[in-house]
């Protein structure tokens, strides 16, 4: 099974320091939905792993989160794409849970759900915590320079990032990389 794991806020959609709290505020990044569709058409199963501490902070409820995800699914379908599942951590940072990235709990849940070892599975996000959560279970780390990652544009990666982290301008560039690498290996 060809599986890749994506962060949500800052990777697929616009991020906000005030949190994305409603379907109205949920806006895809340019080219991100089309990138997911291209991955799907190349045979990739796409899963989302996302910290959603706005739930634990009381900024929005599960109904609002479900409505945001319904918008994601609908907009993806309109461009011929899909995400197979969305895993999220609902906890606030002070709850010290195992599922809040950079902890690997969401990734462990994905591996269990799909019955696969995540060693070598590409994961992409816009922060070190996204990358580190995946690396903890053996995923291949990728960083996009969108969302919080935009602050790293034109700079060397801080030492917190694993040395094997690949950097891409955005989700479209990540999709191009993955599809091209697979074609070259065939």
């Amino acid at each position: 099974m060809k599986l890749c794991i994506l962060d949500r806020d800052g990777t697929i959609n616009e991020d906000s320091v005030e949190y994305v709290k409603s379907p109205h505020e949920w806006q895809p990044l340019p080219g991100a939905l089309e990138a997911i569709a291209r991955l799907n058409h190349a045979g990739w199963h796409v899963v989302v792993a996302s910290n959603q501490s706005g739930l634990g902070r009381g900024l929005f409820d599960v109904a609002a989160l479900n409505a945001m995800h319904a918008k994601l699914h609908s907009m993806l379908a309109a461009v011929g794409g899909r995400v197979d599942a969305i895993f999220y951590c609902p906890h606030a940072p002070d709850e010290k849970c195992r599922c809040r990235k950079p902890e690997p709990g969401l990734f462990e849940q994905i591996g269990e759900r799909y019955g696969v070892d995540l060693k070598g599975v590409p994961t992409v996000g816009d922060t070190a915590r996204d990358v580190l959560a995946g690396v903890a279970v053996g995923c291949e780390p990728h960083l996009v320079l969108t969302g919080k990652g935009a602050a790293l544009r034109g700079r060397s990666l801080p030492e917190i990032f694993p040395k094997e982290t690949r950097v891409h301008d955005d989700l479209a560039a990540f999709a191009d990389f993955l599809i091209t690498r697979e074609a070259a290996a065939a």
Side-chain angles (χ1 to χ4, degrees):
M1 169 198 253
K2 295 189 320 186
L3 175 68
C4 66
I5 302 170
L6 310 181
D7 173 52
R8 195 191 85 169
D9 299 334
T11 301
I12 298 173
N13 58 279
E14 298 284 346
D15 200 355
S16 170
V17 295
E18 297 177 6
Y19 300 88
V20 179
K21 302 176 292 300
S22 70
H24 173 73
E25 293 175 5
W26 192 94
Q27 296 297 323
L29 288 166
L33 301 180
E34 294 81 2
I36 293 170
R38 285 199 334 274
L39 287 168
N40 296 151
H41 295 177
W44 289 89
H45 292 269
V46 176
V47 174
V48 173
S50 181
N51 286 347
Q52 290 297 318
S53 69
L55 285 168
R57 297 170 197 265
L59 300 175
F60 55 87
D61 59 18
V62 173
L65 184 64
N66 288 341
M68 287 182 250
H69 292 160
K71 181 176 181 179
L72 164 65
H73 289 299
S74 175
M75 291 181 79
L76 266 172
V79 296
R82 72 181 186 291
V83 294
D84 291 2
I86 300 173
F87 292 75
Y88 64 89
C89 170
H91 305 108
D94 61 354
E95 293 182 65
K96 307 290 187 224
C97 65
R98 182 146 171 83
C99 57
R100 181 173 170 75
K101 295 183 286 183
E103 295 295 323
L106 288 178
F107 288 81
E108 292 166 349
Q109 291 173 30
I110 293 166
E112 289 170 18
R113 167 88 62 89
Y114 286 91
V116 296
D117 180 354
L118 297 180
K119 184 170 177 50
V121 169
T123 186
V124 63
D126 67 317
T127 67
R129 71 175 173 231
D130 299 323
V131 170
L132 294 170
V135 167
V137 296
C139 288
E140 177 186 279
H142 295 265
L143 176 75
V144 287
L145 299 177
T146 53
K148 292 177 180 71
L152 297 172
R153 194 172 293 276
R155 297 179 39 212
S156 296
L157 287 185
E159 288 187 16
I160 190 170
F161 285 91
K163 66 180 183 327
E164 66 273 18
T165 303
R166 289 184 171 92
V167 180
H168 310 277
D169 282 338
D170 54 21
L171 196 55
F174 165 77
D176 290 343
F177 168 82
L178 216 51
I179 293 166
T180 301
R181 179 176 72 179
E182 183 182 44

